[in-house]
Amino acid sequence: MKVKHTILLIALSSLFFKNPLSAQTISKEELTYLTSDWKGERFPDGRPKIPDNLLERAKLIMIDDAWSVLKNEGYVNQFEGNWKSVNDMPMTGRAVTAMYLPSRPDLEKQIKDRGAKQGRKGNTNAWPIDILAKGDLYVADAFGKISGGGIMGATLANSIISKSGNGVVFDGAARDLQELRQIKGFNAVVRDFHPSYTEEMVLQGLNTPIRIGRAVVIPGDLVIVQPEGVLFVPAHLAEQVVSTSEFVIRKDKFGFEMVRTGKYSTGEIDSQWPDKIKADFLQWLEKHPELGKMTRPELDKVMSKRTW
């Protein structure tokens, strides 16, 4: 039995940590399994590759509406607030995840020795940046560490934006705030800023599921950053979340106009719509082509799950 048990553990290890990097990663097969509801294109490492146009559309929706769509689907652990940021610029991107641990000499030695053999350079907080691609958003669980928890300064930030065209979300700290503010198009959402550099912490997980505060993040998630906080959208729900949130924007504009003109009351607008309001909405939408098109079946479908 002990032999069979050992063989099983080796088999599971090869599935989860096949072709390991310096920090532990899950295999392409395991990541594909974890995100099996995603039916679209993937990166070579198995991460879902949410289309670029969807990332751009997601910048224009409201995080409150997106949160409501996820809640209606049973995803209630996807939002985290109480951040500080370089600026209030919204960000969207595909999650590249990193998990840091407090340093332990034997663990850190093994991780760094293996990294050196693989040609990795610098401290472990630089390694996730090497795998970034355009449209990625670097999300790190740095266990909320502030003093000694600055896993990014101005030099790494310049590398991050050059590789991904994006910023970061760190459950930890960053340094060099004044210089970060000078990087055009860059934003960092962190727990705090601190002049210290990385101390007594080591990268343990790279592109693995992580926890950010009360939120769960899986590599490839759609990350939406707005002043209210950060929402992590499972890749397979990204299109639904974005399209429904776009509809809510249309609905709100229609509702504001109907209430102002007295055609409908707020109670009528903010409840399930009868056929008359649906017909008026579709006619109104035809007069506003800049808001996009919608068919009656599409309207019926999105209204059927209304919780907003």
Side-chain angles (χ1 to χ4, degrees):
M1 287 297 294
K2 289 184 178 180
V3 173
K4 291 182 179 180
H5 182 65
T6 301
I7 293 174
L8 177 60
L9 287 176
I10 293 173
L12 288 174
S13 177
S14 66
L15 174 62
F16 282 4
F17 303 112
K18 185 179 181 181
N19 299 321
L21 297 174
S22 307
Q24 297 286 23
T25 68
I26 59 176
S27 68
K28 176 181 178 180
E29 292 79 10
E30 177 64 8
L31 184 52
T32 301
Y33 175 76
L34 288 176
T35 57
S36 57
D37 287 332
W38 169 258
K39 305 304 180 185
E41 186 179 357
R42 293 180 180 271
F43 285 99
D45 62 7
R47 278 191 309 137
K49 189 175 183 180
I50 296 171
D52 291 340
N53 71 321
L54 195 58
L55 299 181
E56 291 302 311
R57 288 166 56 194
K59 291 180 181 178
L60 304 177
I61 65 175
M62 306 299 175
I63 202 168
D64 315 68
D65 301 330
W67 177 88
S68 296
V69 179
L70 286 182
K71 185 177 186 297
N72 194 48
E73 295 294 329
Y75 289 80
V76 297
N77 299 306
Q78 301 307 124
F79 176 81
E80 180 66 9
N82 299 315
W83 300 96
K84 292 186 178 181
S85 63
V86 170
N87 57 56
D88 288 333
M89 180 186 74
M91 292 190 293
T92 61
R94 311 175 190 92
V96 164
T97 64
M99 180 182 68
Y100 292 86
L101 293 178
S103 182
R104 171 174 155 161
D106 54 348
L107 175 65
E108 185 164 352
K109 180 179 183 302
Q110 294 298 330
I111 289 174
K112 289 184 174 180
D113 284 350
R114 186 167 63 184
K117 292 175 182 177
Q118 296 172 345
R120 294 186 178 274
K121 301 182 184 300
N123 200 4
T124 60
N125 64 319
W127 297 354
I129 300 170
D130 293 336
I131 67 172
L132 292 174
K134 290 296 181 184
D136 285 342
L137 204 156
Y138 175 16
V139 182
D141 172 10
F143 54 94
K145 187 176 182 181
I146 306 303
S147 178
I151 57 175
M152 178 195 71
T155 300
L156 292 184
N158 275 283
S159 180
I160 289 167
I161 195 167
S162 69
K163 290 177 176 292
S164 67
N166 230 332
V168 303
V169 174
F170 289 164
D171 191 1
R175 65 194 307 267
D176 299 335
L177 175 57
Q178 298 304 316
E179 291 175 291
L180 296 181
R181 284 177 170 167
Q182 297 174 23
I183 303 175
K184 185 176 180 180
F186 182 77
N187 193 14
V189 175
V190 299
R191 291 304 184 192
D192 210 341
F193 296 94
H194 198 277
S196 59
Y197 48 83
T198 309
E199 292 182 302
E200 298 299 321
M201 56 192 305
V202 63
L203 178 70
Q204 168 61 16
L206 185 56
N207 263 342
T208 63
I210 61 172
R211 178 175 67 89
I212 297 294
R214 294 171 298 278
V216 179
V217 190
I218 291 180
D221 279 357
L222 168 62
V223 186
I224 300 175
V225 179
Q226 292 185 4
E228 297 92 331
V230 185
L231 189 69
F232 303 99
V233 181
H236 71 279
L237 291 175
E239 173 63 41
Q240 177 183 341
V241 166
V242 172
S243 60
T244 303
S245 299
E246 288 171 335
F247 165 73
V248 176
I249 293 174
R250 301 168 190 163
K251 184 273 299 181
D252 285 346
K253 290 181 180 295
F254 167 76
F256 298 156
E257 186 174 320
M258 296 300 104
V259 171
R260 283 197 300 266
T261 60
K263 185 167 184 177
Y264 294 111
S265 68
T266 54
E268 290 173 307
I269 291 297
D270 289 335
S271 61
Q272 283 289 349
W273 289 352
D275 289 343
K276 180 65 170 64
I277 297 182
K278 288 181 178 179
D280 286 344
F281 170 75
L282 292 174
Q283 290 179 2
W284 175 88
L285 195 58
E286 290 178 358
K287 299 176 183 178
H288 296 275
E290 74 280 2
L291 296 177
K293 297 181 179 180
M294 198 169 200
T295 66
R296 177 57 186 267
E298 290 171 339
L299 176 58
D300 289 339
K301 181 178 180 180
V302 74
M303 291 292 289
S304 69
K305 294 186 176 182
R306 178 172 180 170
T307 58
W308 21 265

